[in-house]
Amino acid sequence: MMMNRRTFSTTLAAGMATSLLASSPRARAQTNPRLRNVVMVHGAYADGSCWSDVVGILQQAGFRPTVVQHPLTTLEAGVEATRRAIALQDGPTVLVGHSFAGMIVTEAGMDPKVSSLVYVAARAPDAGEDYTALAKTFAAPPASAGLVWSEGYGKLSEEAFLRDFAGGIPHTKARILYAVQGPISDKLFNGKTTQAAWHSKPSWYAVSTEDRTINPDLERFMAKRMNARTIEVKASHLSLISHPHEIARLISQAAGQLS
């Protein structure tokens, strides 16, 4: 059966529109409803609000993100809070961690609901590994010198926070982040993971090339060791704030929505 010119043009236009729609994050999320859950965990010197821009992008794309607010007291407490959030998900879930939360992701990621892991400038220890000892095999990042302790809790000085932790963030916003930073317990960094989910779960990693909180070469080492699909973002430690679209895209890839 032959088409006339008008029918052919209409069919072609409809096909192009369908193709363009299918390539959008929203359409891809809708065509794969089985994996729309994303649980995100914040790192030290921060709280869950640091994920706000990424959350907004993911919601627009059809995902259901949840941000864990953990107490920054011990690794075990962070893992427990994350497991509670995972338990509330209704199906397969992408688990995402920034900075210290990479340890939480590494441990809690063994949950059967977790389908894939995303590390954003994050720690990624092996089971039982002394992360502090591992980090000492690389040049010390400047931010660590700015940690100030008082009565068992530590915070970054304003100078260290603005220069070494939140570099590249507009000054006004960085000062707000400094004001709301979460103090860490002196026990937080003592914990060790008992298992490493990245051995059995597909993993993605975003290296921050301008990072002054975790050595970028250490990030590259951990990403390569776990055989993660890796991107490099020209950003400070807070790439999730300065480059939320890149991080949201990486999460979408981990969810199988983007190639």
Side-chain angles (χ1 to χ4, degrees), residues 145-221:
L147 191 53
V148 180
W149 295 95
S150 175
E151 299 184 359
Y153 286 84
K155 298 178 73 173
L156 290 174
S157 68
E158 184 170 7
E159 180 182 9
F161 191 99
L162 299 179
R163 181 190 62 210
D164 302 324
F165 187 72
I169 306 295
H171 186 71
T172 300
K173 186 169 186 176
R175 290 187 70 237
I176 294 172
L177 294 171
Y178 166 73
V180 301
Q181 74 166 300
I184 65 168
S185 165
D186 57 9
K187 300 179 179 63
L188 182 66
F189 295 154
N190 295 341
K192 294 182 181 180
T193 55
T194 63
Q195 49 196 350
W198 49 261
H199 280 296
S200 56
K201 304 287 178 80
S203 302
W204 281 254
Y205 199 110
V207 172
S208 286
T209 63
E210 311 299 312
D211 206 321
R212 294 170 62 88
T213 302
I214 296 179
N215 188 313
D217 286 334
L218 173 56
E219 294 178 15
R220 294 182 181 104
F221 166 81

Side-chain angles (χ1 to χ4, degrees), residues 25 47 54 123 126 176:
D47 65 8
V54 176
R123 300 182 177 203
D126 205 343
I176 294 172

Side-chain angles (χ1 to χ4, degrees), residues 2-109:
M2 296 184 63
M3 293 185 182
N4 61 34
R5 182 175 297 178
R6 177 176 294 178
T7 302
F8 175 78
S9 299
T10 302
T11 303
L12 177 62
M16 291 178 65
T18 301
S19 176
L20 289 172
L21 179 62
S23 67
S24 71
R26 177 185 294 276
R28 288 175 180 265
Q30 290 173 344
T31 57
N32 186 3
R34 291 186 62 252
L35 216 174
R36 57 180 177 164
N37 302 315
V38 181
V39 171
M40 295 175 284
V41 194
H42 66 84
Y45 323 122
D47 65 8
S49 66
C50 65
W51 286 109
S52 296
D53 290 342
V54 176
V55 165
I57 295 168
L58 292 176
Q59 287 175 334
Q60 287 296 312
F63 289 97
R64 297 199 332 189
T66 299
V67 178
V68 177
Q69 297 278 9
H70 68 96
L72 295 172
T73 51
T74 64
L75 172 61
E76 292 77 14
V79 170
E80 181 181 353
T82 301
R83 284 174 173 159
R84 288 197 299 270
I86 295 170
L88 295 174
Q89 306 306 306
D90 62 1
T93 300
V94 180
L95 183 59
V96 188
H98 171 244
S99 192
F100 169 78
M103 296 190 69
I104 295 174
V105 165
T106 298
E107 183 81 19

